[in-house]
Amino acid sequence: MRQILVTSALPYANGHIHIGHLVEYLQTDIWVRFQKLRGNRCIYICADDTHGTAIMIRARDEGIGEEELIAEMQQAHIRDFAGFDIEFDNYGSTHSQENRELCAEIWASKREAGLISVQEVTQLYDVEAGTFLADRFVRGTCPFCKLANQYGDSCDNGHHYGPVDLIDPVSTLSGTTPEIRTAKHLFVNIERLHGFLDEWTQSGNHLQPEIANYLKGHFLHEPLRDWDVSRPAPYFGFEIPDSPGNYWYVWFDAPIGYMASTKQWCDRHGEDFDQWWRSDKTEIHHFIGKDITYFHTLFWPAMLKTSGFSLPEKVHIHGFLTVNGEKMSKSKGTFVRASTYLEHLDPAYLRYYYAAKLTNRVDDIDLNLDEFVAKVNSDMVGNVVNLASRTAKFAARTGLSDVYPDDGGLFEQAAKGGDAIAEAYEACDYGRAIRQILVAGDRANQFVEHNAPWNLAKDPEQADRLRDVCTVGLNLFRQLAVYLAPVLPRLARQTGELLGRPIARWDESKTPVLGTSVGKFRHMMKRVDRQCVDATVAASTKAEPAGPQSAPGAPEDSDEPLKVEPLTETCTFDEFTKVDLRIARVVAAEDVPEASKLLKLTLSLGGEHRRTVLAGIKGVYQPADLIGRLVVCAANLAPRKMKFGTSEGMILASGPGGKEIFMLSVDKGARPGQRVH
RNA sequence: GGGCCCGUAGCUCAGCGGUUAGAGCAGGGGACUCAUAAUCCCUUGGUCGGAGGUUCGAAUCCUUCCGGGCCUACCA
């Protein structure tokens, strides 16, 4: 019997669980249920990730204390997970006494190993809010391309810089201009463990091959940079014991939360913590998304290594969720919260659909809503549950036969197939497992079809034969329920109730149930109603709670854009008139093949006045569609030499970037060359 | 510029060196009527992104190109 400790990444206490998160928690829950069903000793550990600036700011905005905020959010998370039958053995919090102590212990071992150094870090400081500003809390003008309203670390054109280099920086917390301040931060030297990380990441099957390659090419081919693990006060987190006024950075204490949550479980169950985190007896498996690969495959093993804890046996990394082939979108209603889903749909649907789609690769998975309806209905209701539905009624009268009847080897075949299905689950290749289960379901339906119990039921002399056919049908169904139990625990429970024997172990697929009575059949899964899916999307489309009531019929505009890009400082009329905006006609437009975002436009300001402008709108606008249209351009902007030529102005457009760029258009009658006042 | 993943039937995907390339769904035809308009049988449909190469044999291995996605760097 293996002893296995499994974790999912800790959800951040700053937001609610949505269907994207659920890919991971369902993937993990299925794996854990599988392990338990197989008879392995397995615990599923998780917790809320509660520290950091974002929590501090949010609590301040809501006018409540951080601890109140995180307590409420933890309750909401636990409720959402429970609604999807995600069953943790312990769900803790990084803001716990256990975590504080473990952080201190690990910290002490880093000190002892001489891995901690102090370095000066210069950051922007918001005097009014009384806090240093993380990059995403600063907006300003890019020092390279002069693009306004950019984050503190990089701009939409892909330039990288430090927040201190931003032109006209503004704090998004207070709207004031931050000042530059220097503070001492504590750093962990990871480079000293470079050799170990080379070895650990590249051998032993701890990582998927594409991840191991990625690390080799991106981080391990050069010296590893020191890791900044402290933040100066004020910060919501744990103060570093030997460095008053400094707090552990949220990413230092978050993974330690896995251990702290395990500790709570151990204390509740009289278990020895060291048997789980300092023992070769226990396999540790982390399930995470590809976005946090870096922390779990480099820093985390390095931290564990120097502190003498067990290293993960495997870090399982999954991709992101797309819906209908696109990123989840609030405006399209595909950013669906767990709680919203549960108001309209059965969690079993999503558990099944994700399982059918998941592989052991890092690929993104797509939730196609049409396919979601079709797949659940035809696979689960039409194929699997239908087996019970079409035989249980007859068997309720007769019970099951005492001796397993001849079924042409179907039961044995499906029993043997269990090993391959188990292998697929073990490898996190759930899609493969599901495919095999469905094949067994097809064969079982054929058996029922050929033996037509509905005809046997008409002839009293065929009663024994009828009972035998139903005994086979229900036992073949039960095998499917066993194999699907990790994915559909409720179906397994209902099957246990129907046949009077609970499903508790994988091996029960090898032994038929005989000689028992059969309960009254009740639908085990309803067909997915397309309207409920639409209702879920509609309920998710509602904008964030809008501000003041607007006139009936008026569009309800969210204030999100303003939050993302707060208004800048007042400028005078004279300053405004310094920018000479002109109407221009696009007379030529061509692709810049080597550039990823640029189109080369030739603008006419009337007569012979031409301007060449390189505009970052490739992929959003087609060159052919632009020719002839009127645009607004900043005409007196100093020419800028760029990699692909000189740009002699800018086209006015709004939007956050990426595919969302919206050029300003001009009402009819405007003429090229006219000034915009 | 570098890296990774993907490109197989209308859709979602399996197959990853060996008989005429598969499944589910969708489409077409039939059967059945126990079952949640479920099920069963038959069937249409693919120069396996393109081109080279290795091999007795390639969807499968190699090279290269094209297309899609992601990551990362650099330039301005």
Side-chain angles (χ1 to χ4, degrees), chain A residues 126-180:
Chain A
D126 184 326
V127 179
E128 193 173 309
T131 179
F132 282 93
L133 296 166
D135 293 342
R136 67 176 179 285
F137 294 115
V138 193
R139 307 228 71 176
T141 301
C142 170
F144 295 102
C145 64
K146 308 295 187 280
L147 195 61
N149 278 313
Q150 300 303 304
Y151 285 118
D153 55 343
S154 61
C155 79
D156 290 339
N157 286 340
H159 303 132
H160 295 263
Y161 43 78
V164 172
D165 304 320
L166 268 187
I167 300 167
D168 298 331
V170 175
S171 164
T172 61
L173 301 183
S174 64
T176 59
T177 302
E179 53 185 57
I180 295 171

Side-chain angles (χ1 to χ4, degrees), chain A residues 341 345-357 367-386 434 438 484 487-488 491 524-530 533:
Chain A
Y341 175 101
L345 294 160
D346 185 340
Y349 302 157
L350 199 67
R351 291 185 68 102
Y352 172 71
Y353 185 82
Y354 282 172
K357 286 272 187 169
L367 166 57
N368 179 287
L369 295 174
D370 293 325
E371 194 203 11
F372 173 76
V373 175
K375 204 163 176 53
V376 171
N377 286 344
S378 66
D379 294 356
M380 283 302 99
V381 182
N383 181 331
V384 175
V385 175
N386 186 231
I434 296 292
L438 291 177
L484 286 168
V487 179
L488 301 174
L491 180 73
M524 293 175 169
M525 194 184 290
K526 277 201 313 209
R527 296 176 65 75
V528 184
D529 183 347
R530 177 70 218 205
V533 175

Side-chain angles (χ1 to χ4, degrees), chain A residues 7 175 191 249 350 402 410 464 520 587 633 642 660 668:
Chain A
T7 71
E191 177 57 15
Y249 174 48
L350 199 67
D402 293 323
L410 285 176
D464 286 350
K520 183 169 166 47
V587 292
C633 92
M642 296 168 74
E660 291 188 71
K668 218 171 167 185

Side-chain angles (χ1 to χ4, degrees), chain A residues 153-290:
Chain A
D153 55 343
S154 61
C155 79
D156 290 339
N157 286 340
H159 303 132
H160 295 263
Y161 43 78
V164 172
D165 304 320
L166 268 187
I167 300 167
D168 298 331
V170 175
S171 164
T172 61
L173 301 183
S174 64
T176 59
T177 302
E179 53 185 57
I180 295 171
R181 287 199 189 177
T182 297
K184 287 183 167 40
H185 284 224
L186 297 159
F187 285 73
V188 178
N189 180 312
I190 306 286
E191 177 57 15
R192 292 249 304 268
L193 293 149
H194 199 137
F196 156 72
L197 289 170
D198 272 333
E199 163 73 21
W200 186 82
T201 58
Q202 303 302 314
S203 63
N205 200 26
H206 303 301
L207 303 171
Q208 289 130 297
E210 59 264 53
I211 297 292
N213 277 341
Y214 162 77
L215 295 174
K216 192 156 88 182
H218 285 285
F219 299 103
L220 294 170
H221 71 290
E222 59 182 10
L224 294 161
R225 274 173 288 201
D226 291 348
W227 185 32
D228 183 354
V229 291
S230 77
R231 294 293 180 271
Y235 191 77
F236 181 59
F238 294 137
E239 192 167 22
I240 301 175
D242 55 15
S243 182
N246 287 310
Y247 290 72
W248 282 307
Y249 174 48
V250 55
W251 263 111
F252 178 81
D253 71 53
I256 297 173
Y258 296 139
M259 301 167 95
S261 186
T262 311
K263 180 83 168 38
Q264 289 183 340
W265 180 84
C266 288
D267 291 346
R268 262 191 304 122
H269 291 82
E271 289 274 336
D272 178 5
F273 177 78
D274 287 350
Q275 288 296 306
W276 291 89
W277 276 98
R278 284 192 222 260
S279 161
D280 291 343
K281 264 173 56 185
T282 303
E283 294 172 30
I284 296 169
H285 292 255
H286 297 302
F287 286 78
I288 62 165
K290 63 184 181 184

